[in-house]
Amino acid sequence: MSDINNVHDKFFKKTFEDPNNAGTFLKFALPGNLRDAVELSNIEIDATNYVSKQFRECFSDIVIKTKMKPQSNEEEGIPVDIYILFEHKYSRDAGIFIQLLYYMYTMWQKDIDEKKDLRIIIPFVFYHGKEKWNIPRSFAEQFKVSGAVKDFLLNYRYILFDTAHRNFAAEVDDELKNNVFLLTSLILMKSASNQDIEAIRGIFKFWYEKGFLKEKEKILFFLTYISETKDMAPEKLEKILKESEIEGGDIMPTLAQRLRDEGKEKGMKEG
């Protein structure tokens, strides 16, 4: 399980550490009132070193730093952290509450130490697992107590982006459709836990229509993820390419070599 989690971790970070991908995603994924309140055209991606080892087995994370849009009486917007937690296990984990809280506590303590105002932090959960998400959306809801007690409990809410509720193949948002890398990533993360061959054929067709097949390194990145998450040999991928009437050229031999090299590297680390 840790091996496949590492595959998802690398894939998620490669996708969302690109500010263009992250900004386009948030325009698509944030609730409308929040999307209208924050500035998404000029964002920064912050490295995260706040997750303890126990959390890294379950989650990946990134921080998107932006600002609230200025109000009429403000000279500039208030800084905001949008903390995105990627749940890359195939089953949902209630520990997500603690990880979100751990990040918020760590950053607020940093603000206190530096004698700054506490920053605004918006928690966001990205889920692509097989099981239905049934974890409460607010922290206090997990405690089965009366309202009189609940009023005094710590509470916060997170935004949930669950790929199970998204039909990326029918996407009509032009900005998202034109970001081939991001849309491909979302489709592949949605289908990572199944053997959906039609989704792969749809991706190949999408690449062809968008003239993306010339992006060899990006294609290899995606094919590696497909091969590792679906346990699919390069020969099988090449067959699907040909069935889609797309020529694989020298991509498949390169993919096979890359997978062999990664296998050797993994073996050396384990040794």
Side-chain angles (χ1 to χ4, degrees), residues 1-2 16-17 22 26 49 54 58 107 116-117 120-121 126 132 134 144 153 188 201-202 206 209 216 230:
M1 179 59 73
S2 61
F16 289 104
E17 285 179 344
L26 289 179
N49 301 306
Q54 69 183 95
C58 307
M107 301 317 294
K116 296 179 179 178
D117 293 337
I120 296 172
I121 300 174
F126 185 113
K132 182 179 179 181
N134 59 7
K144 307 305 180 185
L153 296 179
L188 288 179
R201 289 195 176 99
F206 176 55
E209 291 172 348
K216 181 177 176 181
K230 299 185 184 302

Side-chain angles (χ1 to χ4, degrees), residues 33-83:
N33 56 344
L34 183 56
R35 182 176 61 244
D36 294 340
V38 298
E39 177 58 61
L40 295 175
S41 60
N42 186 21
I43 63 175
E44 295 179 10
I45 309 300
D46 191 23
T48 53
N49 301 306
Y50 323 112
V51 186
S52 66
K53 184 177 180 180
Q54 69 183 95
F55 291 126
R56 288 192 184 279
E57 294 299 316
C58 307
F59 311 122
S60 304
D61 59 351
I62 63 168
V63 178
I64 298 174
K65 303 185 83 65
T66 182
K67 292 183 178 181
M68 303 292 291
K69 290 180 179 176
Q71 302 299 311
S72 57
N73 60 342
E74 295 175 355
E75 292 185 1
E76 61 179 51
I78 301 170
V80 177
D81 283 5
I82 301 177
Y83 178 59

Side-chain angles (χ1 to χ4, degrees), residues 27-261:
K27 290 175 189 176
F28 167 74
L30 289 178
N33 56 344
L34 183 56
R35 182 176 61 244
D36 294 340
V38 298
E39 177 58 61
L40 295 175
S41 60
N42 186 21
I43 63 175
E44 295 179 10
I45 309 300
D46 191 23
T48 53
N49 301 306
Y50 323 112
V51 186
S52 66
K53 184 177 180 180
Q54 69 183 95
F55 291 126
R56 288 192 184 279
E57 294 299 316
C58 307
F59 311 122
S60 304
D61 59 351
I62 63 168
V63 178
I64 298 174
K65 303 185 83 65
T66 182
K67 292 183 178 181
M68 303 292 291
K69 290 180 179 176
Q71 302 299 311
S72 57
N73 60 342
E74 295 175 355
E75 292 185 1
E76 61 179 51
I78 301 170
V80 177
D81 283 5
I82 301 177
Y83 178 59
I84 300 183
L85 200 60
F86 177 48
E87 221 292 19
H88 55 65
K89 294 200 312 181
Y90 285 150
S91 59
R92 63 274 183 278
D93 190 335
I96 213 148
F97 277 123
I98 304 304
Q99 170 49 27
L100 292 168
L101 190 59
Y102 183 80
Y103 172 77
M104 290 188 282
Y105 162 75
T106 302
M107 301 317 294
W108 285 331
Q109 185 60 56
K110 186 172 185 289
D111 291 337
I112 290 170
D113 293 343
E114 296 177 359
K115 296 181 171 51
K116 296 179 179 178
D117 293 337
L118 298 184
R119 71 190 70 194
I120 296 172
I121 300 174
I122 299 172
F124 186 113
V125 175
F126 185 113
Y127 178 62
H128 76 139
K130 293 187 294 185
E131 298 183 24
K132 182 179 179 181
W133 187 270
N134 59 7
I135 298 172
R137 298 286 288 277
S138 67
F139 187 76
E141 286 177 32
Q142 65 184 311
F143 301 101
K144 307 305 180 185
V145 295
S146 67
V149 175
K150 193 173 287 187
D151 288 343
F152 294 93
L153 296 179
L154 171 70
N155 198 21
Y156 69 87
R157 290 179 60 83
Y158 61 87
I159 298 166
L160 175 66
F161 184 88
D162 186 347
T163 59
H165 300 153
R166 307 284 178 157
N167 183 3
F168 299 116
E171 184 52 51
V172 296
D173 183 272
D174 286 339
E175 187 171 357
L176 181 58
K177 283 198 302 184
N178 290 329
N179 188 326
V180 180
F181 193 101
L182 174 61
L183 187 52
T184 299
S185 294
L186 293 173
I187 294 170
L188 288 179
M189 283 188 278
K190 176 183 172 74
S191 67
S193 59
N194 59 51
Q195 295 297 318
D196 188 354
I197 302 302
E198 288 307 310
I200 298 174
R201 289 195 176 99
I203 286 171
F204 291 166
K205 181 181 177 183
F206 176 55
W207 288 347
Y208 178 77
E209 291 172 348
K210 290 292 188 179
F212 190 71
L213 290 168
K214 63 180 180 293
E215 302 284 350
K216 181 177 176 181
E217 278 304 310
K218 293 175 182 178
I219 294 293
L220 283 169
F221 172 72
F222 288 129
L223 292 179
T224 302
Y225 184 71
I226 293 170
S227 181
E228 292 181 324
T229 56
K230 299 185 184 302
D231 194 22
M232 190 176 292
E235 293 76 18
K236 178 67 177 294
L237 284 172
E238 186 171 26
K239 183 173 183 290
I240 297 172
L241 271 175
K242 289 179 178 177
E243 289 172 352
S244 304
E245 299 181 349
I246 296 172
E247 181 56 54
D250 62 347
I251 290 178
M252 291 309 165
T254 306
L255 172 63
Q257 184 60 49
R258 179 167 295 184
L259 292 172
R260 286 193 293 270
D261 292 343

